[in-house]
């Protein structure tokens, strides 16, 4: 399966705390090779970002440590 097909068939999900309005959220989807797809819920037709497992892990670790808190 190529990346485009994989993204079209991906199991996209968003945070439970984002609410039912479908707006202002990011969705993520696990992909082959440990990669992660990221897309905007307001524009799911746009090409998503795809990051490596190490980039995703660093982001999650930083979020847990509060590195992105204002």
């Amino acid at each position: 399966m190529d990346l485009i097909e994989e993204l079209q068939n991906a199991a996209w999900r968003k945070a439970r705390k984002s609410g039912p309005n479908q707006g202002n959220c990011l969705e993520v989807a696990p992909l082959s090779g440990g990669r992660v797809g990221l897309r905007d819920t307001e524009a799911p037709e746009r090409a998503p970002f795809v990051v490596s497992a190490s980039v995703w892990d660093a982001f999650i670790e930083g979020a847990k440590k509060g590195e992105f808190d204002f």
Side-chain angles (χ1 to χ4, degrees):
M1 179 182 318
D2 69 0
L3 181 58
I4 293 172
E5 186 178 355
E6 187 175 7
L7 289 166
Q8 290 171 341
N9 295 311
W12 294 97
R13 61 185 170 88
K14 64 179 186 153
R16 290 184 301 266
K17 292 186 178 186
S18 65
N21 67 358
Q22 300 294 322
N24 299 323
C25 301
L26 286 178
E27 291 180 303
V28 299
L31 303 171
S32 63
R35 298 172 300 172
V36 176
L38 303 161
R39 71 179 183 184
D40 183 348
T41 56
E42 293 181 338
E45 71 284 353
R46 290 188 181 168
F49 292 99
V50 176
V51 297
S52 67
S54 61
V55 168
W56 181 249
D57 291 343
F59 170 74
I60 295 300
E61 184 177 331
K64 287 179 179 178
K65 291 179 179 178
E67 292 179 11
F68 310 113
D69 295 351
F70 291 102

